[in-house]
Amino acid sequence: MTTSEKNKFIYDFTEGNKDLKNLLGGKGANLAEMTKLGLNIPPGFTITTEACLIYFREPEKVMKELEPSVMKNLKALEESSGKKFGDMKNPLLVSVRSGAPMSMPGMMDTVLNLGLNNQSVLGLAEQTENPRFAYDSYRRFIQMFGDVVMAIGAEKFERILTKYKRLIGRDAQDTDLKVTDLQKIIADYKALYEKEIGSAFPQDPLKQLFLAIDAVFKSWNNRRAITYRRINNIPNFGTAVNIQVMVFGNKGENSATGVVFTRDPSTGENKKFGEYLTNAQGEDVVAGIRTPKKLEVMEEEFPTIYTQLLDTMDRLEKHYRDMQDIEFTIEDGKLNILQTRNGKRTPSAAVKIAVDMVKEGLITKEEAIMSLDPNKVSKLLFKSIDESAIVHVLAHSINASPGAVSGIAIFDPDTAEELANQGENEIILCRPQTKPEDVHGLYASSGVLTQFGGKTSHAAVVARGMGKPAIVGASDIEIDEENKEFRVGEMVIHEGDYITIDGTTGKVIEGIVPLIEPEIKDEFLELLQIADEIKTLGVRANADTPLDALKALEFGAEGIGLCRTEHMFMAQDRLPTVQNMILARTKEVRQDALNKILPWQKQDFYEIFKIMEGRPVTIRLLDPPLHEFLPELSLVQLERQELKMTNALSKSLLNTSPLDEEIKKKNKVISLIRSLSEENPMMGLRGCRLGIVWPEINEMQVKAIFQAACELKLQGINVMPEVMIPLVGMLSELQYVKAQLMQVALETINEYDVELDYKFGTMIEIPRAALTADEIAIEAEFFSFGTNDLTQMTYGFSRDDAEGKFLPVYLNKEILEDNPFEILDQEGVGQLMKMAIKLGKKARPDLKTGICGEHGGEPSSIKFSHDIGLDYVSCSPFRIPVARIAAAQAVIENKKE
Amino acid sequence: MTTSEKNKFIYDFTEGNKDLKNLLGGKGANLAEMTKLGLNIPPGFTITTEACLIYFREPEKVMKELEPSVMKNLKALEESSGKKFGDMKNPLLVSVRSGAPMSMPGMMDTVLNLGLNNQSVLGLAEQTENPRFAYDSYRRFIQMFGDVVMAIGAEKFERILTKYKRLIGRDAQDTDLKVTDLQKIIADYKALYEKEIGSAFPQDPLKQLFLAIDAVFKSWNNRRAITYRRINNIPNFGTAVNIQVMVFGNKGENSATGVVFTRDPSTGENKKFGEYLTNAQGEDVVAGIRTPKKLEVMEEEFPTIYTQLLDTMDRLEKHYRDMQDIEFTIEDGKLNILQTRNGKRTPSAAVKIAVDMVKEGLITKEEAIMSLDPNKVSKLLFKSIDESAIVHVLAHSINASPGAVSGIAIFDPDTAEELANQGENEIILCRPQTKPEDVHGLYASSGVLTQFGGKTSHAAVVARGMGKPAIVGASDIEIDEENKEFRVGEMVIHEGDYITIDGTTGKVIEGIVPLIEPEIKDEFLELLQIADEIKTLGVRANADTPLDALKALEFGAEGIGLCRTEHMFMAQDRLPTVQNMILARTKEVRQDALNKILPWQKQDFYEIFKIMEGRPVTIRLLDPPLHEFLPELSLVQLERQELKMTNALSKSLLNTSPLDEEIKKKNKVISLIRSLSEENPMMGLRGCRLGIVWPEINEMQVKAIFQAACELKLQGINVMPEVMIPLVGMLSELQYVKAQLMQVALETINEYDVELDYKFGTMIEIPRAALTADEIAIEAEFFSFGTNDLTQMTYGFSRDDAEGKFLPVYLNKEILEDNPFEILDQEGVGQLMKMAIKLGKKARPDLKTGICGEHGGEPSSIKFSHDIGLDYVSCSPFRIPVARIAAAQAVIENKKE
């Protein structure tokens, strides 16, 4: 069986329809659809994507087998057009255009006027009685063919064209070129072609055609296209090739070409929008050679066609039920439609169009939701860099906290604070990395940039908590604290110099850059309302502070899925007490410190509970290794060194050693910090392990939670605390910790004598917990998947190290398709989650399950969470709108399946 | 239904047999068995372990329900003995002894002479016409009852006894005490009892009996017993209570008591062995009050009984088919047997007895194998501390590399090397921790002691590799490098002081301690031969050097399951080149260094392959993070500081800066070390990730492997290299690395033009690899479970940190039963292994599977490995005998099941 016996490689426009996108590509399917609709579409045919895919296995065979079918379909075009391909008198010219199932830049685009040669250009001139048009078309054809099909640089053709235009005058347009000019240009073009390719410009139209088809196929697998597909997760569909009878917008002043949108693509307003050029071919509009005219002008210039075009636009939008981006050409006063597709739009336009169309009854609510890209929607919530601005990007690093901000570079937290107190409110704190001691500097700044660390570093976590933009791990930048400057390549940024950081993309930019303010319009809220009607998955927020909780409510959180208590410990006024607690050598000293911390913690919880009234609040007990709260070892060593020197001086001058005691104290602190330091802190003494070794900390936290809850309950405010024990890997750990804490909880409730709804549960973030979830569920009333840590352990990747050291290489070498810390690894990590849910629900059918890792705000991971039956996702407040939309999409997609 | 309706709580000795051990305890079952055999056993009965277990739920109920049955059984004893319990004239006295199914110290042991009181002691004196015997018995009874049942400290009774002995004379024996002395002692004992307990010594024999039963039950759950069970993995069986008619060895010179072994328990020689005391009760032999007589003496003293005893010993050994430990009492010239049990023995005796008994046809080969504790057998291979020596233990820390050694404490590697060069061969290197720069010091020393680090620390790994004893993470010890001493508590050990370390137990001991040399006797080799006949699991060695490989062969390794190549990089003469390779900033410089390393690596492999001729050798490609090979950052910083100072001096004096270049170089090195340092190196850039980021290193290694293999093949020596790619978590990683390396391998084979058997496979040590093993197996020809890392990732435990910081707490609080790094966690880690095998074999039915983590040498984990169908285990050379025996035991146990 040969391929030709099996495959139909070519569809005439009259054969296809819009549902054959995968086979005919978007362009081909829509051309067929419009033909079916009876619009004025120049005839043509489409070579299928299937032919393209087989071409990559057996290129010669496919090209050979295509020949007879192409000839047959060309014949049909000749019949319908009354012209003949390669004819000297009445030549049929065609366009050759690629068309993949999904819009994809990087591939070969368009060749127009194919079929012209030295002979037929004469025939065309004679037949149209328009030699200028004929030579202009030939000139364009050679240029496009040379550039697009044969990969001779476009600039080489441009150089020739410009030379001749300059001969006419300084501001000469293409339209000023006369026939003789064009002939000279053609001669020069052909000479260029021969020089570059090594053979003359092909005169055989069939040869031209097959070279063009071959080039379209090949362009599917060029480097740029492959990269684009990888980044955008586009499968290897293959591309179709469309061959269509040419119509000419460059036949004179009664001809034109243009692009229209059925609604405004930048605002979404329901107002037709478009541009056109008279006496021009398609690429002229895009290339911006002349300033195009606005659609409104056409009403006067081509009144009949204007009405006709508006009518077509309405028809196509209704037919496709989406905003359309339409290409058209007017040839000798006749309107031809050359393409329609769903129009690209800004995020805010996307939202407005979707909501308007639901109101207009054009689309269903489900369709409105499906029309949105949740990731793009999230951009509406942050300041962003005006994409039209020309910027000097200094570095491209880890986007740790979203939003863009400009400010002066400041290299130490004290200066930042001082300047902020003086009223400076545009500060970017630049540090090698940040530590708890730097938090006042972070408060004083509008954004933070660090040289080291990853998305879970101190700077990243704190900045996200404060909702400030952050870029971390900028390894291209060398920060020199001493000299208060940073160096990147040859460039030096000094203290006080302006920079801009875009925490959404990870770009560090020189100077001040125009920013676009976020704006939440009514339509956006309406859309989220629609999403809520559809979705079944709960959406909670990760919120550590009352401010976070307010933000979360504003964005529609149904509860708090993760309240991290460690950030409460890091507040500048609390840290010294926390440090005393950690460095305590006796239980008594530790208890004293904890007694001081208790009322603070209680106040934190009190406010959060109050804000979240009636909604569940999941509080995670202290999780990080304690040395994260301690000052840097080298800092204390330095302090000791200074004390020692002062002491020595005092001894030699005054014969006293007044600082002996101080030095001894420092020695103790140093040895304690040393004893707490770990080889692999991520897998060390943290989470519930802390609670087992030092139960007093957890007990204080639980007391604070239940005191706060009981007091509110007494005031008639409904609270639903959920105590979450982190890093559990075995039932026995959970049993041990829970038993201790339940006692504290019950004692507190008894003291206040109130009824209180509460739960005790655990994070599932250790592979062993997932593997033994049936046991864990004996004690846990809820599971919250901590997919950040679960991903770390399942892959054996330390996120901080991986993202700085080898994940970029992995992505580049395509060993990983996505960063598993951003997009949940469904195969490995997801498998553990599925196991855990199955085992857990077997042991406890009413087990509540959620996800509180970063994946809880990522659309594909949210879909997965819905599919495996989680009760809720929890994500940072700013990701909640994304989550609501993605959760609704999951329901709709599953209905379809 | 009450418990009494359901349970038979008491068995007379005539009712039970040796197979009822779980119900009657070891002692009770054997007493019943011997009764059945017709030996002269004083009558008695046993309260079941079941009663004990129920007692812990319902103590009062059980004690109440026991009453009538105890009375009934006592009646039977009265009938058979012709005496009466509590009778004033002819009192029946009994012993009360605990007896669990497994031998277990820490529980209440024995009360003799129970039933005596102020009245019956008179009757006994009259009846036996031996007042001294009667009062001696009463004295003993009060003492034992007070100590054992009522927990009055034994020393308080001893003090009274000693006082009266002193009154007689300096060296007076118990036997020198007269009736009047004994009466005074009894009076003082009773006063002591009343003072301590608050009531008079109980006179009612039934009250005495039930108090004793209650105490036996309770002792099952005392702290010491619980701890013992936890450490020795003994289940919560409960204990039985044996109540037996007393016979008396203290009736005069025609009475005696003693213990005999059917073979020598310390050598295993087939020669009867025993000791006895005339005119004594059981505890006197154990207490060592008088020096007992040797068994041989009895031939003259009690000729008839001697023959009778020898005959009984033969009979019991044949019956139980094991060496017996027998207690007997001669009362008035009549032999009574009071206990028999399988005798405890030294490891070398165990081996000899097992092999001898097979030869004698007494037991089968299977029984011989099952009679051994593989863990104890391993002690035969190392120097150990003479257990009879009295030692001063300074600290008890992590036993990182087995064996004991004494030597002088030396605190820096250079001094160690210097002294070794001067002929000193007893050096213990004491360091806070070791780094690659210290390796020459390790070579020069006989053992190593570190303050920090765990079983996977540099010191531990290198010492194990060198077969030298090591103790690490000795956190109680503070090493002061500067002053060349260490401090532990109040004690200071200076440079040159002798210490002893026992790497098998983790004990650090002051001074020189007598050591027992290991000896491998023929019987041991015969036994291993038997194990090999039975076992089906392969046993390979973890061996990194030719020396290791020789050792491995000697112990019977069937191949090498893990050859770690990183240790080859650490050799002192190679390290500078390795560091150059790592610090190289360009590919060229790196390649230059690699070209220098290639011949070294090749030579390593060449020698190992040659030694292992015809056996598979699995070589793991470079695994650790590269910064492990670099000098400590602070060290380089110090060097830079010195350079800077010298430079400054030179500048101020001579106006030149000759060291500018050197300082710049140091700066570069510092910044490179910084850039390689990681937050969590265990989960950072290591394993196959290294091979992906820097393929040249792996390529060099594979070239070295195949060059060595091909050269040997050309010489007619058969080699079977297996290239193992570590830390794979995804198929794509393995694909990428393997494709590169296969090319190198094939090129090398083609160059040499030989046929070579080789395999490419992977470690399964990342949870994700186990979860996706069906994919991994597409590329992997073998799986080797790296259960060290797999345990780390599955639990989220960094071993170094966990063992230092919280695992001791976990074990102490019984959150963990065992250290999962020593005993494989079958539930979590084991589950992943089972999944991986199932998935892997589905994808590749002939997949070879093994284990090369430390668990590969641990008996219960070896059994598990056998059960889940692994092809082999791989362990350190010294564990190979253990593994061979454990593997054979697995086969036998499964047959039984």
Side-chain angles (χ1 to χ4, degrees), chain B residues 716-748:
Chain B
I717 293 171
N718 193 20
V719 285
M720 301 167 71
E722 301 181 340
V723 178
M724 181 151 75
I725 297 164
L727 219 71
V728 164
M730 309 170 247
L731 171 61
S732 55
E733 289 176 313
L734 186 56
Q735 277 174 328
Y736 186 92
V737 175
K738 188 182 157 191
Q740 279 180 332
L741 300 182
M742 275 292 280
Q743 202 184 330
V744 176
L746 290 174
E747 278 171 15
T748 311

Side-chain angles (χ1 to χ4, degrees), chain A residues 303-321:
Chain A
T304 325
I305 291 199
Y306 179 70
T307 320
Q308 216 179 329
L309 182 59
L310 259 49
D311 180 58
T312 302
M313 286 166 83
D314 285 338
R315 230 181 124 185
L316 285 173
E317 185 178 275
K318 281 213 179 75
H319 186 72
Y320 283 99
R321 309 166 80 209

Side-chain angles (χ1 to χ4, degrees), chain A residues 177-226:
Chain A
L177 293 167
K178 307 235 152 45
V179 170
T180 47
D181 299 324
L182 289 167
Q183 284 168 336
K184 283 180 205 152
I185 292 170
I186 288 167
D188 282 8
Y189 275 9
K190 286 196 286 195
L192 172 67
Y193 184 97
E194 189 155 355
K195 188 178 144 233
E196 293 281 333
I197 303 302
S199 62
F201 183 78
Q203 292 294 312
D204 176 1
L206 273 176
K207 189 171 176 198
Q208 294 170 357
L209 181 60
F210 281 100
L211 278 172
I213 293 170
D214 195 75
V216 172
F217 282 165
K218 284 213 175 86
S219 71
W220 176 253
N221 268 349
N222 74 27
R223 207 174 157 71
R224 227 181 109 206
I226 289 174

Side-chain angles (χ1 to χ4, degrees), chain B residues 11-24:
Chain B
Y11 283 71
D12 189 85
F13 286 174
T14 55
E15 294 180 295
N17 65 58
K18 74 174 177 2
D19 300 326
L20 293 178
K21 237 180 190 176
N22 281 342
L23 189 66
L24 305 180

Side-chain angles (χ1 to χ4, degrees), chain A residues 245-256:
Chain A
V245 171
M246 280 298 302
V247 286
F248 299 97
N250 58 342
K251 262 194 172 172
E253 292 307 311
N254 201 22
S255 298

Side-chain angles (χ1 to χ4, degrees), chain B residues 329-346:
Chain B
T329 287
I330 303 170
E331 186 185 51
D332 282 334
K334 185 181 164 203
L335 178 65
N336 294 276
I337 304 296
L338 295 179
Q339 174 164 312
T340 191
R341 58 182 170 188
N342 296 341
K344 289 211 190 307
R345 60 207 81 177
T346 63

Side-chain angles (χ1 to χ4, degrees), chain B residues 528 531-542 551-562 612 615-616 618 849-852 855-858 862-863 865-866 870-891:
Chain B
L528 291 174
D532 288 347
E533 286 169 25
I534 295 168
K535 77 177 179 59
T536 56
L537 192 66
V539 175
R540 299 196 192 177
N542 297 352
K551 199 83 187 149
L553 266 193
E554 185 187 323
F555 286 130
E558 296 155 30
I560 290 178
L562 175 63
M612 298 306 291
R615 297 176 182 82
T618 309
T849 56
I851 178 173
C852 63
H855 303 100
E858 190 282 319
I862 293 168
K863 166 92 162 66
S865 299
H866 173 89
L870 291 190
D871 294 307
Y872 66 88
V873 296
S874 187
C875 55
S876 87
F878 287 99
R879 297 297 291 181
I880 287 177
V882 175
R884 288 160 74 185
I885 293 170
Q889 289 184 338
V891 173

Side-chain angles (χ1 to χ4, degrees), chain B residues 52 90 93 170 222 228 400 480 494 516 556 587 688 694 717 755 760 860 866 869:
Chain B
C52 174
N90 183 22
L93 304 188
R170 225 174 176 275
N222 74 27
Y228 184 86
D480 182 344
H494 302 278
I516 294 172
K587 219 175 160 157
C688 72
W694 287 311
I717 293 171
E755 296 241 327
F760 273 83
S860 75
H866 173 89

